Amino acid sequence: MFKKLLLVASVAVATTSVTFAQATKEEKLKEKGDLHKLEQGWTKKAGLGLGMNQIGVINPRVGGANDQLGLNGVLTGAATYKMGRMAWDNVGTIQYGILKNGVLGAAFADIPFVKSQDNVVLASKFGYGITEKPVLFYSVAANFRTQLTHTYTGSTLSGEPGTRNSGFLAPAIFTIAPGLDYKPNDNFSVMFSPATFRGVIIGEERLAKLNTLGNTNGQAFESQIGASLNAGYKNDFFEKRVQFQTGLNLFSDYANLSDVKVDWMTATKVNIFKGFGIGLNTNLYYDKNVTVIAADKDAPLVPELPKGYKFTKERVQFIEGFFVTYDRTF
């Protein structure tokens, strides 16, 4: 019995010693204003969201709904490294969705799936603090964006080779931006680069000649030099039950300063129970060189499009996705 009491006492003393040592270290760092050093090293997060919608109608009335089947998902990952004056942020997002809409029965199986969203974004930013307690950083940011699968006429997932209108690395857009990054805390940052390199890749010669995917010269590769501004904000609310993150990227080519390209993304998540929650992601994108499908009641009939729609440029694209999510932090 005495030995057991001695063991318990020893563990208690050891635990108290460790706690005291940590508290002492925290107090010392607090006195120096260096509490951020407690969080140095790697911080990693990952999240997965899946969604499905299905509607089945038997003997639909005239003007009633059609059968519908949709699947979508989002995969996110983030890794941040901090050590002294160094800060390295990495983020990756994959969004993908397909949809089938028609009348139930044998014909429904023949209706092709169309793509509702397909987006791959990888971003990395490395910074070195100008001062010992860094708020302003010398930074280099890189961004890469493409899609996963081919798309054919009507946004379908299958078709003849000659009807393919986009695909993996067609297009792919990447930027490399050295500049100054203002980062007063872990929630907010804004970076300006006066010498941003932007490249557009069209990985198929036939598609490059169409000049519909962001290029202008009919070539498989096009580059630009300009200025960019990247701003980001993230925060938790209501005792971390609500998480919000947003990022805005602006780029202007020095050859045409009035041509501003916009890429604005947001992600909102509401935690419900042990990692499960609901999420809402949005993306606003504008590039006057990218062809989009827009509603126009006076548009001439095009075989590839429904009545009242047309192919056009200089229009804003907006994507919204709602998910049931599961996040795991590791």
Side-chain angles (χ1 to χ4, degrees):
M1 183 66 179
F2 178 75
K3 290 183 177 180
K4 291 183 179 180
L5 291 174
L6 182 61
L7 177 60
V8 172
S10 300
V11 172
V13 171
T15 304
T16 304
S17 300
V18 172
T19 305
F20 178 78
Q22 290 177 339
T24 302
K25 179 180 179 181
E26 184 174 342
E27 289 174 358
K28 288 182 178 180
L29 290 172
K30 187 176 182 179
E31 290 176 0
K32 296 179 180 180
D34 291 335
L35 270 176
H36 64 280
K37 291 184 178 180
L38 286 174
E39 302 176 354
Q40 293 194 1
W42 282 104
T43 301
K44 303 174 185 178
K45 294 182 179 180
L48 174 65
L50 297 174
M52 175 181 176
N53 62 285
Q54 185 271 331
I55 299 174
V57 183
I58 299 176
N59 300 328
R61 60 179 172 81
V62 175
N66 285 335
D67 305 295
Q68 190 177 99
L69 176 63
L71 302 169
N72 54 67
V74 57
L75 176 65
T76 62
T80 301
Y81 180 78
K82 293 182 180 179
M83 187 59 65
R85 298 190 186 187
M86 292 190 300
W88 186 18
D89 300 318
N90 303 277
V91 179
T93 302
I94 299 176
Q95 294 176 296
Y96 196 80
I98 56 177
L99 177 68
K100 178 182 287 195
N101 186 51
V103 179
L104 192 65
F108 187 71
D110 296 331
I111 298 174
F113 276 104
V114 298
K115 190 186 298 184
S116 57
Q117 59 178 343
D118 187 356
N119 201 24
V120 179
V121 178
L122 303 174
S124 181
K125 181 171 66 175
F126 178 83
Y128 187 82
I130 296 177
T131 60
E132 185 176 353
K133 299 177 183 177
V135 172
L136 195 63
F137 294 79
Y138 299 115
S139 293
V140 177
N143 185 282
F144 177 82
R145 178 176 184 152
T146 187
Q147 61 187 55
L148 286 177
T149 62
H150 294 311
T151 308
Y152 298 81
T153 298
S155 297
T156 61
L157 299 180
S158 60
E160 299 298 326
T163 63
R164 185 160 62 236
N165 52 30
S166 68
F168 180 67
L169 298 183
I173 300 172
F174 68 93
T175 59
I176 300 174
L180 290 177
D181 185 20
Y182 174 66
K183 194 173 182 179
N185 51 56
D186 290 339
N187 297 331
F188 175 77
S189 71
V190 57
M191 177 179 174
F192 174 71
S193 171
T196 300
F197 176 85
R198 183 177 187 268
V200 180
I201 300 172
I202 311 296
E204 187 173 331
E205 184 178 357
R206 182 184 66 83
L207 296 179
K209 292 180 179 179
L210 298 177
N211 287 335
T212 59
L213 299 176
N215 62 326
T216 58
N217 56 18
Q219 301 298 314
F221 178 76
E222 181 175 314
S223 62
Q224 300 170 326
I225 298 291
S228 65
L229 180 71
N230 301 322
Y233 174 78
K234 60 181 180 180
N235 211 340
D236 300 327
F237 304 94
F238 305 109
E239 298 180 348
K240 297 188 176 181
R241 290 185 178 275
V242 178
Q243 298 171 348
F244 176 75
Q245 182 172 342
T246 185
L248 174 65
N249 300 322
L250 304 175
F251 173 83
S252 182
D253 183 7
Y254 282 132
N256 185 5
L257 289 175
S258 62
D259 177 16
V260 180
K261 305 181 191 304
V262 182
D263 188 1
W264 178 29
M265 302 180 71
T266 72
T268 305
K269 179 178 178 293
V270 180
N271 295 306
I272 298 176
F273 179 73
K274 292 186 176 181
F276 288 94
I278 55 176
L280 176 67
N281 293 352
T282 66
N283 178 212
L284 184 148
Y285 187 81
Y286 174 77
D287 183 342
K288 77 172 188 178
N289 298 319
V290 174
T291 299
V292 301
I293 300 171
D296 185 346
K297 64 179 181 179
D298 299 322
L301 186 61
V302 178
E304 302 177 19
L305 299 177
K307 184 179 180 181
Y309 286 84
K310 68 178 182 179
F311 292 110
T312 186
K313 294 188 177 183
E314 300 190 25
R315 295 288 184 93
V316 172
Q317 173 187 266
F318 184 77
I319 302 173
E320 171 268 330
F322 182 77
F323 305 93
V324 176
T325 66
Y326 175 73
D327 283 355
R328 180 186 177 189
T329 302
F330 58 94

